Amino acid sequence: MIVAIDGPAASGKSTTAKMVAKKLEMTYLDTGAMYRAVTLALLRSNTDLDDYDSVCQVVDKLELDIYDKGSKTIVKLDGEDVSEAIRSMPVTENVSAVSAMKYVRQTMVEIQRNIGKKTNCVVEGRDIGTVVFPDAEFKIFMVADVNMRAERRFKDLHEMGESRSFQDVLADLRRRDEKDSTRAYSPLQKADEAIEIDTSMLSIDQQVRKIINLVKKNN
């Protein structure tokens, strides 16, 4: 069984998906972390993101591993734990451009589908219900007011020691929304049959409860 959770950046997908997976005793698959890991690899190798062939060469050589450990998602890149490094601001600023690249998405989607074939998953991202798992049994599309999303991201960054103004975070989210929604390949899109949940005024527990009730009611 696949529970697909899509939505824009900072709409609450990751935290909610982790908790839903735990309560339903399913595997949590953070596709965003996978794209962040690819972005980190490209930045570390000083690859020109406009040089498509060079990007493809780096992607082909990546050894990427992602798994749950307790309440944390561990992301390993070439054997190194980069779970914290992929949340840095340089990665955040470039991940939309990297994830828009067709070859990058094709490679990651293949990995995601292989994982989905082996286990019941709660999967979150931008195109899970439309492209990665179009036949998912449950499709959720999470939205939230952009100012509320910026407040969440601002708080998260400060907890990580990143010094950014609220206005910078807000502007970055608006840029990411534009890039994610208008990219040519696998844009952020609500699947026709997806159930929309506005998380602007919902706590994480309320978001989780809504999704679990939906799954249990229709399963």
Side-chain angles (χ1 to χ4, degrees), residues 19-199:
M19 293 178 67
V20 168
K22 184 176 181 180
K23 290 182 180 294
L24 293 177
E25 298 183 338
M26 296 170 66
T27 297
Y28 164 63
L29 182 55
D30 182 353
T31 63
M34 297 172 72
Y35 288 107
R36 283 176 171 273
V38 174
T39 304
L40 179 64
L42 292 168
L43 293 177
R44 283 182 170 181
S45 61
N46 295 314
T47 303
D48 182 352
L49 299 185
D50 291 324
D51 185 341
Y52 193 73
D53 289 339
S54 295
V55 170
C56 293
Q57 288 175 13
V58 172
V59 172
D60 283 339
K61 294 176 183 177
L62 286 182
E63 288 186 18
L64 179 61
D65 193 16
I66 181 167
Y67 57 90
D68 293 339
K69 185 177 182 180
S71 60
K72 290 187 65 178
T73 297
I74 304 300
V75 182
K76 286 194 172 183
L77 184 63
D78 298 327
E80 176 192 352
D81 185 343
V82 294
S83 307
E84 294 295 330
I86 62 172
R87 304 295 171 184
S88 68
M89 209 60 219
V91 171
T92 297
E93 289 172 342
N94 288 282
V95 67
S96 287
V98 171
S99 61
M101 297 177 189
K102 187 174 182 178
Y103 188 72
V104 172
R105 296 204 75 84
Q106 288 175 331
T107 304
M108 293 300 104
V109 167
E110 183 177 352
I111 294 172
Q112 292 154 19
R113 285 177 175 163
N114 286 336
I115 294 172
K117 289 176 183 176
K118 301 173 185 176
T119 182
N120 294 325
C121 289
V122 177
V123 193
E124 58 97 351
R126 300 291 193 279
D127 61 348
I128 308 305
T130 54
V131 175
V132 185
F133 294 109
D135 296 323
E137 289 85 346
F138 300 95
K139 298 181 182 182
I140 312 296
F141 195 82
M142 295 176 65
V143 298
D145 174 76
V146 68
N147 287 285
M148 185 67 70
R149 290 190 283 130
E151 286 181 15
R152 293 170 181 168
R153 180 54 52 84
F154 179 74
K155 180 182 177 182
D156 290 344
L157 288 172
H158 272 258
E159 288 177 352
M160 291 169 54
E162 294 270 1
S163 181
R164 293 288 299 272
S165 71
F166 174 79
Q167 291 303 320
D168 280 349
V169 174
L170 178 62
D172 180 65
L173 273 182
R174 284 177 168 153
R175 282 193 297 270
R176 289 192 64 188
D177 285 350
E178 176 70 15
K179 288 180 180 178
D180 290 345
S181 299
T182 60
R183 66 190 180 209
Y185 191 72
S186 295
L188 168 65
Q189 218 170 26
K190 178 185 173 184
D192 291 339
E193 64 274 35
I195 295 174
E196 183 170 300
I197 297 178
D198 189 331
T199 70

